[in-house]
């Protein structure tokens, strides 16, 4: 269940903030923050509802308002996880889930004057729903965390943008841009219980880098010359350079993997998600 804060009622929010904050000067500043105008097309319009998106105060205000939701769920005896406006409630059956979704949606919209994002809210098994980018899977009697498929697809899309920009640059420059993204993503998803997806993602990244090199080499003569320099025999280098296959196929071929192995990318400083995962696990 996901609540939307672009329609939050200011009076409703300020009443709950006043329970925690007694200094009237602070309350006045918060009210001014909420009422700050929005600049659209060069024109400033007054804000009568909603919290400013991206502001440092907005997450705190959302938590203050949704404390009432936490208390309501506790009163009903539900098990739940909530972070900011994202909340998962766990019940025993789909029928119970539908009933709770309807009643909590009614509570949020009528009591707290919030709008529930119905496209992102729904009922399903814990292994089918995602929470903060994670989802769960069961192996025998043990439950593990894994990266939600939609989140993984979005991350790959971000990396593809780097690969597209890198077609005219050196591998070193591309890797410099990739590494902060890889480190940050792995640090966030350090709690996953399976590393297979990380090995696959590492291989996918290296294949894209090999493809960039293959395209940069352009002509068969240059490709053969570089492949020989990287250790392939003259016969194999020429056979690979003139095979007529596309760049993506060649990037995944045995011969190009032999010429551009994993250890070469490690020497260039490319972050390995598998290695970063093991390192983070040792620290925790």
């Amino acid at each position: 269940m996901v609540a939307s804060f672009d329609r939050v009622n200011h009076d409703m929010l300020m009443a709950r903030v006043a329970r925690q904050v007694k200094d009237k000067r602070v309350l006045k500043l918060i009210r001014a923050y909420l009422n700050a105008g929005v600049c659209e097309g060069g024109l400033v319009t007054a804000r009568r509802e909603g919290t400013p998106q991206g502001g440092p105060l907005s997450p705190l205000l959302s938590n203050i308002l949704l404390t009432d939701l936490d208390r309501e769920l506790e009163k009903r005896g539900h098990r739940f996880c909530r972070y900011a406006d994202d909340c998962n409630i766990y019940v025993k059956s789909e029928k119970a889930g539908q009933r709770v979704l309807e009643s909590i949606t009614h509570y949020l919209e009528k009591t707290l004057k919030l709008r529930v994002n119905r496209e992102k809210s729904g009922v399903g098994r814990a292994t089918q729903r995602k929470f903060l980018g994670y989802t769960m899977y069961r192996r025998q009697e043990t439950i593990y965390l894994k990266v939600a498929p939609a989140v993984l697809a979005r991350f790959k899309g971000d990396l593809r943008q780097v690969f597209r920009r890198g077609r005219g640059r050196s591998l070193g420059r591309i890797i410099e841009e990739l590494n902060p993204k890889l480190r940050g993503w792995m640090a966030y998803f350090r709690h996953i219980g399976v590393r297979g997806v990380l090995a696959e993602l590492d291989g996918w990244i290296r294949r894209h880098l090999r493809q960039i090199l293959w395209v940069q080499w352009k002509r068969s003569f240059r490709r053969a010359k570089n492949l020989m320099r990287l250790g392939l025999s003259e016969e194999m280098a020429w056979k690979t350079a003139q095979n007529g296959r596309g760049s993506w196929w060649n990037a995944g071929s045995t011969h190009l993997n032999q010429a551009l192995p994993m250890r070469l990318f490690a020497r260039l400083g490319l972050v390995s998600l598998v290695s970063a995962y093991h390192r983070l696990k040792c620290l925790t």
Side-chain angles (χ1 to χ4, degrees):
M1 175 175 288
V2 179
S4 177
F5 280 86
D6 57 349
R7 295 292 182 88
V8 64
N9 182 282
H10 287 177
D11 293 333
M12 183 76 65
L13 175 57
M14 289 304 302
R16 280 152 179 80
V17 173
R19 297 175 187 171
Q20 310 294 328
V21 179
K22 302 305 179 184
D23 191 324
K24 293 184 178 180
R25 294 171 298 176
V26 175
L27 293 175
K28 186 176 180 180
L29 283 173
I30 295 174
R31 172 69 81 166
Y33 169 79
L34 292 173
N35 292 337
V38 180
C39 184
E40 295 179 338
L43 299 175
V44 178
T45 56
R47 183 195 299 275
R48 294 183 172 83
E49 59 182 9
T51 58
Q53 297 302 303
L57 189 58
S58 295
L60 176 60
L61 295 177
S62 69
N63 275 325
I64 290 174
L65 181 60
L66 287 177
T67 297
D68 282 16
L69 172 63
D70 297 342
R71 301 295 174 264
E72 180 68 19
L73 292 172
E74 290 170 356
K75 185 173 71 175
R76 299 185 187 190
H78 291 313
R79 295 181 178 181
F80 66 96
C81 292
R82 183 183 69 79
Y83 184 85
D85 59 349
D86 196 357
C87 182
N88 276 15
I89 306 169
Y90 302 101
V91 294
K92 292 183 178 180
S93 67
E94 183 179 355
K95 185 176 181 180
Q98 295 289 356
R99 185 176 66 252
V100 170
L101 176 62
E102 183 178 347
S103 63
I104 294 300
T105 297
H106 183 271
Y107 173 81
L108 288 170
E109 294 182 342
K110 299 301 181 182
T111 304
L112 298 185
K113 307 300 181 184
L114 291 171
R115 184 178 62 181
V116 173
N117 189 327
R118 298 179 187 274
E119 292 182 2
K120 295 183 178 180
S121 302
V123 176
R125 293 181 180 274
T127 54
Q128 298 171 337
R129 305 294 299 176
K130 69 182 178 70
F131 183 66
L132 304 179
Y134 285 92
T135 188
M136 292 183 278
Y137 77 100
R138 180 191 294 271
R139 181 184 294 170
Q140 296 177 348
E141 297 302 317
T142 307
I143 300 296
Y144 297 93
L145 292 175
K146 69 175 185 177
V147 183
V151 175
L152 183 60
R154 187 164 61 247
F155 182 58
K156 282 187 170 183
D158 291 341
L159 296 182
R160 284 191 183 97
Q161 294 297 323
V162 178
F163 297 139
R164 291 192 187 101
R165 292 195 297 270
R167 289 175 181 172
R169 296 188 293 172
S170 68
L171 279 189
R173 293 285 301 279
I174 301 169
I175 289 171
E176 283 180 7
E177 188 174 351
L178 283 174
N179 280 345
K181 295 179 181 291
L182 299 176
R183 289 193 188 97
W185 190 85
M186 190 67 260
Y188 182 82
F189 287 106
R190 69 170 73 184
H191 303 295
I192 61 175
V194 58
R195 65 179 186 179
V197 65
L198 303 179
E200 291 177 9
L201 196 51
D202 273 341
W204 181 82
I205 292 168
R206 289 192 296 269
R207 186 170 180 177
H208 269 283
L209 294 175
R210 292 187 187 102
Q211 182 188 30
I212 289 172
L213 273 182
W214 187 259
V215 171
Q216 287 179 350
W217 291 343
K218 293 182 180 179
R219 299 182 182 278
S220 297
F221 176 79
R222 187 179 178 189
R223 288 171 177 170
K225 183 178 178 180
N226 283 321
L227 289 172
M228 285 186 280
R229 183 175 56 82
L230 290 166
L232 290 190
S233 66
E234 182 176 357
E235 179 184 359
M236 188 57 66
W238 278 105
K239 185 177 179 181
T240 302
Q242 296 178 324
N243 61 24
R245 300 276 190 167
S247 59
W248 183 247
W249 186 92
N250 276 291
S253 69
T254 303
H255 302 136
L256 213 60
N257 274 264
Q258 181 182 339
L260 299 166
M262 187 188 307
R263 62 179 179 275
L264 182 144
F265 294 105
R267 286 201 303 269
L268 289 172
L270 178 66
V271 168
S272 165
L273 295 174
V274 172
S275 299
Y277 173 77
H278 287 305
R279 187 165 56 253
L280 290 167
K281 282 296 185 182
C282 290
L283 294 175
T284 55

